[in-house]
Amino acid sequence: MKAVVMAGGEGTRLRPMTSSMPKPLLPVVNRPIMQHVLTLLKRHGLTETVVTVQFLASLVKNYFGDGEDYGMELTYANEEKPLGTAGSVKNAEDALKDDSFLVISGDALTDFDLTELIEFHKEKGGLVTVCLTRVPNPLEFGITIVDDEGKVERFLEKPTWGQVFSDTVNTGIYVMEPEVFNYVEADVSVDWSGDVFPQLMKEGKPIYGFIAEGYWEDVGTHESYVKAQADVLEGKVDVDIDGFEISPGVWVAEGADVHPDAILRGPLFIGDYAKVEAGAEIREHSVIGSNVVVKTGAFLHKAVIHDNVYVGQQTNLRGCVIGKNTDVMRAARIDDGAVIGDECLIGEESIIAGNVRVYPFKTIEAGAFVNTSVIWESRGQANLFGARGVSGILNVEITPELAVRLAGAYATTLKKGATVTTARDHSRGARALKRAVISALQTSAIDVRDLENVPMPVARQQTARGSAGGIMIRTSPGRPDSLDIMFFDERGADLSAAGQRKLDRVFARQEYRRAFPGEIGDLRFPATVFDSYTGALLRAVDISGIADAGLKVVVDAANGSAGLVLPSLLGRLGVDALTINPGLDEARPTETEESRRAGLVRLGEMVSSSRAAFGVRFDPVGERLSLVDERGRIVEDDRALLVMLDLVAAERRSGRVALPVTTTRIAEQVAAYHGTQVTWTTTSPDDLTRVGREEGTIFGGDARGGFIIPEFSSVFDGSAAFVRLIGLVARTQLTLSQIDARIPRAHVQKRDVPTPWAVKGSVMRRVVEEAGERSVDTTDGVRVVETDGRWVMVLPDPAEAVTHLWAEGPDDASTQALLEEWSEVVESAGR
């Protein structure tokens, strides 16, 4: 006997899950519903099967093919238009006209004994046997009355409660004789229950009803879809689970990586090659699809997660469904009954309320509260760029495909035949993505100078030597799972806001230039990069007095790319240097704040024990510098800025220094004492770079280890700051602790206040209103200056749902009070 699997329905009640996927392909415990149906048919010897398809038919055909992989022989009957339950079977008449056949839905989950159903049909000798089952709520189904012999006496399709006369419903599973096709008109929409069966009964044809025992669930709603998952996990339905039961009720598929410290409370299922990190908690009735990543601190309860989903740290998912290829970012919350479609991005700390539907390919911005369904609009951020270029989690937000599109867009903004310099840090992820970037540039008629792994200042300097721009790929500071794709202009500085907008527009339009075969760009690997950089640095920066001072310093390369330039640099300086951690460590392309502090403590111990003049520690890409004084004490970054400022200003006695407005106003006192002045900039490194290029600028810094040495470069450069510092210390004959001691103590405090994106504008308006008659500076954000000189600055973050506050007063207590006062203003305005 042959079988007919009806797989043409659109599943409109299950949208958005079925917006881009036919209902039979919806996974139930990581297998499509239709695969469970085919397994049941094979179990009962029904291996020759015709599949009727209509909605997204190619997806069903591509997935199941000819059925060989499932031990079946599948053929397909394609409907050009919806033909109804009977019309679709009529469409397959040529394959079914020779013998009895069984009809079953491809989107209902069941374990009925089909062999017993077929035997009942043969025994009764009827034209049609309808498989029936008893349900507590028959309103959504066709109810049926049978007599003692099993003969159907009455049908009623989808009754009201006033019409209910039975709890026995039609499951849509039938055994039929080919003669039934005489009652079905071809190429029109015809239904079994509504059209054919009433006609057969009117003519007295034998229709029987077989009441089956077992499980049956018509997966037609989101509630029934989630229920079907739970029922499989609870063992209420006899279907195969493709995994190993590692503990009672905890099923894990092949290749899954589940950390021993993850909390698993079954019954639950974790799909093949999924990764569950330590500290993640997955509770009962959760289903994790293939290649899903569940990060530390995530909490999942009754959540159904389709394939290739990223579940970020501290997320909270309860009773929801997440479509395939969706990214749920850090601390997002998705409540009971919510459904997220395929290919969505749920931003950090956003909240999706219960029963909300988010349709495929939508972006929910960070910090958003969504309590209505998102169907047409996309709530995305305004542009690609954040504070560190284009940033995101490797292979989640930053993929090879994205890198290719970005590089193609960047190339399109340049002239054909232009040269772009590329570079990377020492991580594997950066290496892999840079190759994608190079390919995209070359095929867009751009010549490439690839520096491979170099410190970021070297990449900037080399870009400025004849290139139209540059691309640097590095691991995001403090986030080993993330990458930054950074774009440089022809001077090696970060791409300007205007340049970013231009690149953004080309990327959004997807109008990428493609080169003709004869225009493919060249790829070169320049030699002597480090010697060239070192020579230029030592020619530009004053190193007089170093050789005669007999200084001893300890230099920590922190296993980063700064170690690549140090040998040639230290050798030419003529300084007694002890270099530690010079080797590259692919496993640690960045460092957390804890590991950085620990490294500084060790550096301090070595400085004091070796009686060195001071110690320096580079960041992993050689862009920033941290200091330890001759006693082995850490010079905090904000104090290091003041120390460098004091030394530079004391030597130059004129000019100006570039500092962001968040810097302590002690800097003004230090600069003025030595006859220099401060130019206040925004917190953007691009703005500091702009002022650093201007004539008369002698120094710049950001109080986070970034220093600008304008005589050499207008960007942050750890090596240039190191050389400048050695020369200054050698010529002044003062120790870092002596310089630090003569600078007044600053009392600056910082706080971050969570602020939904939708209210950021009203928060800033409220801040200006609260300022009243007080002095207000709007260089960056809003800085309010009290009459007694205390000040507070309020700045909305451009990439996260956060507002930053800085405050400064004469002591910690008054600073804390000021910060508390204005934090309350921001919090109340954001409610």
Side-chain angles (χ1 to χ4, degrees):
M1 181 181 290
K2 292 183 179 180
V4 180
V5 174
M6 301 178 68
E10 292 191 32
T12 53
R13 291 180 298 165
L14 281 166
R15 289 179 180 169
M17 285 189 288
T18 53
S19 297
S20 52
M21 179 191 301
K23 185 178 171 185
L25 290 186
L26 282 180
V28 172
V29 189
N30 224 34
R31 281 187 176 182
I33 303 173
M34 185 171 148
Q35 187 174 340
H36 291 297
V37 172
L38 294 178
T39 300
L40 178 68
L41 292 174
K42 182 183 177 184
R43 188 185 303 166
H44 293 280
L46 298 163
T47 55
E48 286 189 70
T49 298
V50 180
V51 182
T52 66
V53 290
Q54 194 263 324
F55 177 68
L56 298 176
S58 61
L59 297 183
V60 177
K61 293 178 182 178
N62 291 342
Y63 190 94
F64 292 104
D66 61 6
E68 182 179 0
D69 292 344
Y70 306 94
M72 306 281 287
E73 185 180 326
L74 302 184
T75 55
Y76 296 89
N78 194 45
E79 303 171 37
E80 298 299 325
K81 60 181 179 179
L83 296 175
T85 55
S88 62
V89 179
K90 173 75 172 180
N91 192 48
E93 179 179 4
D94 289 345
L96 303 169
K97 60 187 178 183
D98 296 330
D99 196 3
S100 307
F101 57 90
L102 180 139
V103 178
I104 190 169
S105 172
D107 51 27
L109 187 65
T110 182
D111 59 5
F112 285 161
D113 189 336
L114 301 182
T115 299
E116 192 176 358
L117 169 65
I118 293 169
E119 290 174 351
F120 176 90
H121 174 79
K122 291 178 178 178
E123 177 187 324
K124 295 297 182 179
L127 181 62
V128 175
T129 295
V130 181
C131 185
L132 309 172
T133 191
R134 293 188 170 95
V135 297
N137 183 354
L139 293 186
E140 292 297 319
F141 312 103
I143 61 177
T144 308
I145 288 287
V146 295
D147 62 18
D148 293 341
E149 296 297 318
K151 201 166 188 179
V152 173
E153 294 183 334
R154 186 179 176 190
F155 284 108
L156 182 61
E157 192 70 11
K158 296 188 177 178
T160 65
W161 274 117
Q163 297 172 311
V164 168
F165 50 77
S166 172
D167 66 349
T168 306
V169 301
N170 178 1
T171 65
I173 302 173
Y174 313 113
V175 182
M176 298 178 166
E177 299 300 322
E179 290 85 346
V180 77
F181 288 126
N182 298 330
Y183 297 87
V184 182
E185 188 177 351
D187 295 324
V188 297
S189 181
V190 183
D191 285 320
W192 293 120
S193 297
D195 302 313
V196 178
F197 294 165
Q199 182 64 28
L200 293 178
M201 293 183 67
K202 187 176 180 179
E203 295 184 15
K205 299 297 182 181
I207 303 179
Y208 288 89
F210 172 78
I211 301 176
E213 299 291 333
Y215 181 92
W216 178 80
E217 182 70 54
D218 176 41
V219 185
T221 65
H222 294 100
E223 293 75 18
S224 62
Y225 177 69
V226 174
K227 179 179 180 295
Q229 315 278 346
D231 289 343
V232 170
L233 294 171
E234 293 280 1
K236 294 180 179 179
V237 52
D238 182 17
V239 298
D240 295 335
I241 297 180
D242 189 14
F244 308 94
E245 192 172 13
I246 62 173
S247 63
V250 176
W251 295 84
V252 177
E254 180 183 358
D257 179 9
V258 181
H259 196 280
D261 293 334
I263 302 170
L264 306 179
R265 298 183 180 179
L268 58 86
F269 176 85
I270 298 174
D272 52 307
Y273 300 101
K275 181 176 182 180
V276 181
E277 293 188 348
E281 181 173 355
I282 303 177
R283 300 192 63 172
E284 60 269 17
H285 300 161
S286 292
V287 176
I288 310 300
S290 301
N291 302 305
V292 169
V293 175
V294 182
K295 300 293 285 183
T296 298
F299 177 89
L300 290 79
H301 184 207
K302 297 182 179 178
V304 179
I305 314 297
H306 291 180
D307 295 347
N308 304 309
V309 168
Y310 174 86
V311 180
Q313 294 179 350
Q314 310 303 322
T315 48
N316 191 311
L317 311 182
R318 298 173 183 265
C320 57
V321 179
I322 311 295
K324 66 179 184 293
N325 300 318
T326 285
D327 300 330
V328 184
M329 307 311 290
R330 180 188 62 80
R333 192 180 92 200
I334 304 178
D335 288 341
D336 189 65
V339 181
I340 312 299
D342 297 345
E343 309 271 357
C344 288
L345 172 63
I346 309 301
E348 291 187 355
E349 299 183 5
S350 57
I351 299 174
I352 312 296
N355 300 312
V356 163
R357 307 288 186 254
V358 178
Y359 275 61
F361 310 106
K362 299 295 181 288
T363 296
I364 303 300
E365 65 188 14
F369 175 71
V370 182
N371 57 9
T372 58
S373 293
V374 181
I375 300 174
W376 302 112
E377 71 272 22
S378 177
R379 302 183 183 181
Q381 291 185 15
N383 52 52
L384 288 164
F385 287 85
R388 301 182 305 272
V390 181
S391 304
I393 299 169
L394 175 62
N395 275 338
V396 175
E397 297 165 291
I398 302 295
T399 63
E401 295 86 354
L402 175 70
V404 166
R405 296 200 302 272
L406 272 173
Y410 183 55
T412 304
T413 67
L414 305 174
K415 294 180 179 179
K416 281 188 177 182
T419 298
V420 168
T421 297
T422 59
R424 63 171 175 87
D425 72 5
H426 54 285
S427 68
R428 290 186 180 182
R431 179 195 299 155
L433 260 67
K434 183 172 65 64
R435 291 169 178 167
V437 163
I438 290 173
S439 296
L441 292 172
Q442 289 183 273
T443 53
S444 299
I446 296 294
D447 293 334
V448 178
R449 295 176 68 244
D450 184 31
L451 307 180
E452 301 183 278
N453 175 23
V454 297
M456 187 177 296
V458 175
R460 293 183 185 276
Q461 186 235 23
Q462 290 291 313
T463 298
R465 294 192 165 193
S467 293
I471 300 177
M472 171 88 182
I473 303 178
R474 68 165 184 184
T475 306
S476 302
R479 301 180 65 177
D481 61 347
S482 299
L483 286 180
D484 301 334
I485 302 178
M486 306 183 69
F487 294 87
F488 303 151
D489 63 16
E490 70 280 3
R491 294 185 296 261
D494 290 345
L495 205 60
S496 67
Q500 292 179 11
R501 287 193 295 270
K502 184 177 181 181
L503 173 55
D504 214 346
R505 287 194 298 271
V506 175
F507 180 83
R509 292 196 303 263
Q510 300 189 37
E511 297 173 353
Y512 313 132
R513 181 180 66 220
R514 289 291 173 256
F516 296 111
E519 298 176 327
I520 300 298
D522 187 24
L523 174 61
R524 290 176 288 122
F525 300 90
T528 66
V529 169
F530 297 122
D531 287 341
S532 171
Y533 169 82
T534 300
L537 174 57
L538 296 181
R539 286 191 298 271
V541 176
D542 186 359
I543 59 173
S544 62
I546 294 179
D548 298 328
L551 290 178
K552 182 177 184 179
V553 295
V554 182
V555 182
D556 186 354
N559 298 116
S561 55
L564 298 172
V565 76
L566 285 174
S568 59
L569 182 62
L570 294 172
R572 297 191 196 183
L573 275 175
V575 66
D576 182 9
L578 171 61
T579 304
I580 60 175
N581 300 315
L584 296 175
D585 186 352
E586 278 190 352
R588 292 187 297 167
T590 186
E591 56 186 2
T592 63
E593 181 57 28
E594 292 77 11
S595 63
R596 174 180 170 273
R597 296 294 296 187
L600 285 172
V601 170
R602 290 192 297 272
L603 175 62
E605 293 169 351
M606 298 193 70
V607 168
S608 60
S609 64
S610 63
R611 298 183 180 180
F614 61 88
V616 296
R617 188 174 199 270
F618 290 93
D619 76 345
V621 293
E623 185 179 40
R624 297 177 182 273
L625 201 66
S626 298
L627 302 182
V628 169
D629 68 18
E630 77 285 356
R631 301 177 185 177
R633 295 183 304 188
I634 298 171
V635 182
E636 300 297 341
D637 287 343
D638 56 344
R639 296 298 294 178
L641 175 62
L642 296 177
V643 168
M644 285 285 287
L645 170 59
D646 184 81
L647 284 166
V648 172
E651 184 172 83
R652 299 294 289 270
R653 295 289 175 177
S654 65
R656 62 170 175 266
V657 296
L659 303 173
V661 289
T662 53
T663 308
T664 172
R665 265 42 193 179
I666 299 293
E668 267 185 330
Q669 299 177 30
V670 173
Y673 181 81
H674 296 296
T676 61
Q677 62 183 25
V678 174
T679 297
W680 298 108
T681 75
T682 70
T683 54
S684 167
D686 181 52
D687 202 24
L688 270 174
T689 295
R690 176 185 59 80
V691 178
R693 285 197 299 268
E694 294 178 357
E695 188 175 351
T697 301
I698 60 171
F699 176 69
D702 68 351
R704 295 187 294 114
F707 299 103
I708 295 174
I709 310 301
E711 56 265 42
F712 175 65
S713 171
S714 63
V715 298
F716 295 147
D717 188 329
S719 296
F722 170 55
V723 173
R724 187 79 169 98
L725 178 61
I726 293 176
L728 289 166
V729 171
R731 290 188 292 275
T732 61
Q733 297 293 306
L734 292 174
T735 66
L736 294 191
S737 64
Q738 289 171 332
I739 300 166
D740 188 18
R742 72 187 188 187
I743 300 172
R745 295 290 109 183
H747 302 277
V748 177
Q749 296 182 24
K750 183 176 183 291
R751 178 176 296 179
D752 294 339
V753 178
T755 309
W757 284 93
V759 300
K760 281 189 174 184
S762 61
V763 165
M764 299 309 291
R765 174 172 50 80
R766 175 73 178 279
V767 169
V768 173
E769 291 171 351
E770 288 291 324
E773 298 299 317
R774 284 169 284 199
S775 174
V776 172
D777 176 9
T778 57
T779 300
D780 199 11
V782 175
R783 190 172 76 93
V784 181
V785 183
E786 303 282 347
T787 55
D788 60 2
R790 294 183 303 157
W791 60 269
V792 65
M793 179 171 162
V794 183
L795 177 66
D797 191 284
E800 298 181 8
V802 167
T803 298
H804 305 293
L805 286 85
W806 290 263
E808 182 175 26
D811 53 59
D812 287 339
S814 63
T815 301
Q816 178 69 24
L818 188 64
L819 195 60
E820 293 285 350
E821 175 189 345
W822 286 92
S823 293
E824 176 57 31
V825 171
V826 172
E827 288 170 353
S828 62
R831 294 188 186 117

